[in-house]
Amino acid sequence: MLDIAVLIGADHYWDLVEDTVIRGNGPTAVKSKLGYLLSGPVHTGTTSKTTGKSHMMNVIATRPPNASILERFWKLESMGVTSDGQDQKELDYIQEYQDKCIAFRDGRYEVKLPWKQDHAPLPTNFEIALKRTMGTIHRLRREPEMLQQYHEVIKEQERRGFIEKVCVDKESPSQTVHYIPHHPVRKDSSTTPVRVVYDCSCRKSASHPSLNDCLESTPPQLNDLTTLLVRFRMHKYAVTTDIEKAFLHVGLHENDRDMTRFLWFEDPYDTQDKVVVYRFKAVLFGATCSPFILNATLLKHPRQNKDCNAVNVIERDLNVDNVISSFESETEVLKYFHESRTLMSKAGMNLRSWSSNSEALQKVALRENVLDEEDVTKVLGLRWKTESDTMQFVIRNIPEVLEVTQRMILKFSSQIYDPLGLLSPVTVRAKIMLQDIWKGNYDWDTPLPSAIQTSWSNIPADLNTATEMTVKRQFLSSTDDGKETKSPKELHVFVDASMKSYGAATYV
């Protein structure tokens, strides 16, 4: 028997029910403001009685984007025009969290999880965590090399003190604990080919909360991506670096560790062996609050060390665990390299994977074994070739289709990541087209008129060509005679507007 949550009287029934009725070989679906309502007999395929048997039915429906979502897609890019600053309450909460929940102990920062007030008690979750762990091992056995990498990641985390084994035989049965399933995510990275991701949203049942349900999900205080990229392109020498295993270098308070337990085996090839219980001593990757915790910690550390000259650069150019900067001279680059590494080492963190078009920095980073030796570096969704000092777009190939629909145009258009607006001559055409289609009130999955399909056919070809387009990383480069210019003498600004779009370009 299911518990009845809501009773709706017949006098309000027709306020909810709408006109669409779908009939078939089974229950009838009636559209309502609460979703589709199902009623009618369930055909079991047999003539025997089904008394005592229960049936579960799910209705899966795709909700089309509404007007406000589409308007955000084609609205004017607002860099420097509108303010997207955080709410003052969020800023106050970050400050309070930094003061009360982040402490510096034994050479690194230690934090408390930001629990919601009066959250429901967490269940143990042992059974589902064990079942999911067995499933992960079973899938990984199909790729023995990946299983070995996964096992090595967990053992390395134990060796480095990020996690610890738990002796469950000595603990009290009434002790509150919670287990988290985990699974692999393959990464396009030379330093971390596979990442262990912990499913903190796993529930024991629909009536029980997950770990994420009990934690605050305050957004981190991030720097604007477009501003970071503009500043990255300003000066002659560009530099990128990231914090090695940033989340795991932030310690977790003793009182919160038993809420982050997980299961593994000493030998993942022999699951008949005794299961090993681990728990985190550091912030785990997968909790809804982890980006906020890391961000709050990384912002607190520079403010605690104002005597270092690299503080302002890191505060200004930090994005999650990456720092993206540019400087006028190699002297400034090398000074920043040494000062920033010293600053972060005070928090027990290591700045690694240094990339730069400065040969002097490359030599120093190679000597200290922190150089990223890849030919192409990922910079906030773009690709940077340090040797040629050029940047390239990453655009998924848009296939040619016979029948173009509104949903398909929105799908492919919204995949284009262009924070600097360099592809606007092409992308604006797709946005204008979506505006016209929306005004025409076309169905999302009905093939569009031939005129619109013809107009669209030229856009994928132009966007696919853009995958080969490169731009100079530095837009304030040098004069024709090759002499470096620290500041432009003249700026020439051109603007143009039509009935449907407008834009501006500035030249030195």
Side-chain angles (χ1 to χ4, degrees):
M1 291 290 292
L2 293 176
D3 294 332
I4 297 174
V6 178
L7 282 174
I8 300 174
D11 53 336
H12 292 289
Y13 179 75
W14 294 108
D15 294 334
L16 301 174
V17 172
E18 299 179 356
D19 296 334
T20 305
V21 178
I22 302 175
R23 305 179 189 277
N25 185 24
T28 298
V30 180
K31 190 175 182 181
S32 79
K33 294 177 182 177
L34 303 176
Y36 279 93
L37 308 176
L38 300 179
S39 63
V42 177
H43 299 287
T44 62
T46 64
T47 56
S48 61
K49 294 182 179 180
T50 59
T51 305
K53 292 185 177 181
S54 60
H55 302 276
M56 178 178 291
M57 295 179 288
N58 296 310
V59 178
I60 301 174
T62 302
R63 182 186 177 190
N66 58 29
S68 62
I69 296 175
L70 282 173
E71 284 172 5
R72 288 200 301 271
F73 175 68
W74 62 57
K75 74 173 183 178
L76 169 69
E77 285 79 1
S78 57
M79 182 184 67
V81 180
T82 61
S83 173
D84 295 323
Q86 286 187 297
D87 184 89
Q88 187 58 45
K89 289 183 179 179
E90 290 183 2
L91 297 176
D92 292 341
Y93 176 75
I94 293 173
Q95 184 65 55
E96 182 182 7
Y97 180 81
Q98 288 176 325
D99 295 340
K100 296 182 178 180
C101 300
I102 302 178
F104 190 73
R105 293 192 181 95
D106 301 324
R108 72 170 183 171
Y109 286 92
E110 185 179 86
V111 301
K112 297 178 181 178
L113 292 177
W115 296 99
K116 291 180 179 178
Q117 292 185 354
D118 303 323
H119 67 80
L122 270 173
T124 301
N125 262 25
F126 179 86
E127 291 80 8
I128 190 171
L130 179 60
K131 182 179 179 181
R132 293 269 299 271
T133 302
M134 296 292 289
T136 294
I137 291 176
H138 179 71
R139 290 194 302 274
L140 286 171
R141 281 179 178 172
R142 301 170 191 164
E143 301 180 71
E145 184 179 350
M146 193 172 180
L147 175 57
Q148 186 61 35
Q149 290 174 346
Y150 198 86
H151 182 63
E152 280 301 317
V153 169
I154 293 177
K155 300 307 289 183
E156 183 195 5
Q157 290 179 355
E158 183 183 1
R159 286 192 297 268
R160 299 184 66 171
F162 301 145
I163 60 177
E164 61 184 357
K165 288 180 180 177
V166 179
C167 184
V168 294
D169 297 332
K170 296 182 180 180
E171 65 185 15
S172 169
S174 61
Q175 185 176 347
T176 303
V177 299
H178 180 75
Y179 292 86
I180 307 169
H182 50 89
H183 61 272
V185 171
R186 201 186 299 270
K187 288 191 65 186
D188 181 18
S189 169
S190 58
T191 57
T192 314
V194 60
R195 169 172 279 167
V196 182
V197 176
Y198 297 87
D199 184 7
C200 300
S201 296
C202 175
R203 294 187 179 94
K204 182 178 180 180
S205 68
S207 59
H208 290 88
S210 67
L211 177 61
N212 278 343
D213 291 331
C214 300
L215 297 172
E216 296 286 357
S217 55
T218 308
Q221 187 180 347
L222 298 177
N223 291 311
D224 179 69
L225 289 179
T226 305
T227 304
L228 288 173
L229 284 170
V230 169
R231 201 158 43 235
F232 177 71
R233 299 184 65 206
M234 282 187 66
H235 302 298
K236 183 175 182 179
Y237 297 103
V239 182
T240 69
T241 181
D242 70 75
I243 304 170
E244 180 184 10
K245 294 179 171 54
F247 290 94
L248 296 174
H249 280 93
V250 180
L252 188 61
H253 194 278
E254 175 77 27
N255 294 345
D256 290 331
R257 292 178 186 175
D258 281 321
M259 299 297 105
T260 65
R261 292 188 180 190
F262 68 95
L263 305 173
W264 194 239
F265 291 87
E266 242 0 287
D267 181 4
Y269 295 95
D270 181 14
T271 52
Q272 300 302 315
D273 198 5
K274 186 178 179 180
V275 66
V276 180
V277 177
Y278 288 99
R279 69 175 185 176
F280 271 87
K281 296 174 66 179
V283 175
L284 69 163
F285 188 82
T288 186
C289 61
S290 293
F292 166 78
I293 291 175
L294 177 64
N295 180 255
T297 305
L298 293 179
L299 290 179
K300 179 170 182 172
H301 179 62
R303 292 165 188 168
Q304 301 287 93
N305 296 269
K306 284 294 187 181
D307 56 325
C308 177
N309 293 326
V311 164
N312 293 334
V313 177
I314 290 179
E315 281 187 319
R316 182 193 66 193
D317 296 340
L318 177 70
N319 179 261
V320 188
D321 58 352
N322 297 278
V323 189
I324 298 112
S325 310
S326 67
F327 302 88
E328 275 297 327
S329 68
E330 289 193 300
T331 302
E332 292 177 294
V333 170
L334 293 175
K335 183 180 179 181
Y336 164 69
F337 173 82
H338 293 297
E339 289 185 347
S340 62
R341 295 203 72 215
T342 300
L343 171 66
M344 298 312 296
S345 67
K346 291 180 180 179
M349 298 183 183
N350 178 39
L351 284 177
R352 63 165 185 186
S353 300
W354 287 81
S355 293
S356 179
N357 59 331
S358 164
E359 292 185 9
L361 186 139
Q362 291 177 15
K363 292 177 181 177
V364 174
L366 180 62
R367 189 165 60 243
E368 298 195 17
N369 199 31
V370 290
L371 177 67
D372 184 356
E373 299 187 45
E374 296 289 328
D375 295 331
V376 180
T377 302
K378 291 185 285 187
V379 180
L380 301 183
L382 302 179
R383 297 288 187 267
W384 175 40
K385 294 185 177 181
T386 55
E387 185 176 353
S388 60
D389 200 15
T390 56
M391 301 185 74
Q392 192 170 18
F393 294 92
V394 181
I395 301 176
R396 296 177 182 174
N397 190 57
I398 300 178
E400 294 184 6
V401 294
L402 296 177
E403 294 186 336
V404 180
T405 64
Q406 182 176 195
R407 189 186 305 278
M408 190 217 73
I409 293 177
L410 178 61
K411 173 185 175 182
F412 290 120
S413 300
S414 59
Q415 288 177 355
I416 301 163
Y417 177 73
D418 179 30
L420 294 174
L422 299 178
L423 300 178
S424 291
V426 180
T427 57
V428 72
R429 288 155 49 198
K431 293 181 179 183
I432 292 171
M433 183 177 295
L434 276 170
Q435 279 185 317
D436 293 338
I437 294 171
W438 182 257
K439 293 173 185 175
N441 200 28
Y442 294 104
D443 186 77
W444 280 96
D445 298 301
T446 299
L448 296 168
S450 57
I452 297 178
Q453 299 208 32
T454 302
S455 299
W456 168 254
S457 64
N458 297 320
I459 296 177
D462 290 342
L463 286 172
N464 291 335
T465 302
T467 59
E468 304 172 3
M469 187 182 86
T470 59
V471 295
K472 289 184 177 181
R473 194 266 318 162
Q474 188 189 10
F475 59 79
L476 295 180
S477 51
S478 59
T479 58
D480 292 337
D481 60 5
K483 295 180 180 179
E484 187 177 331
T485 56
K486 290 191 175 180
S487 59
K489 293 183 178 180
E490 289 184 350
L491 291 178
H492 296 267
V493 182
F494 298 87
V495 297
D496 187 29
S498 68
M499 294 174 63
K500 294 188 176 181
S501 65
Y502 49 97
T506 304
Y507 295 83
V508 179

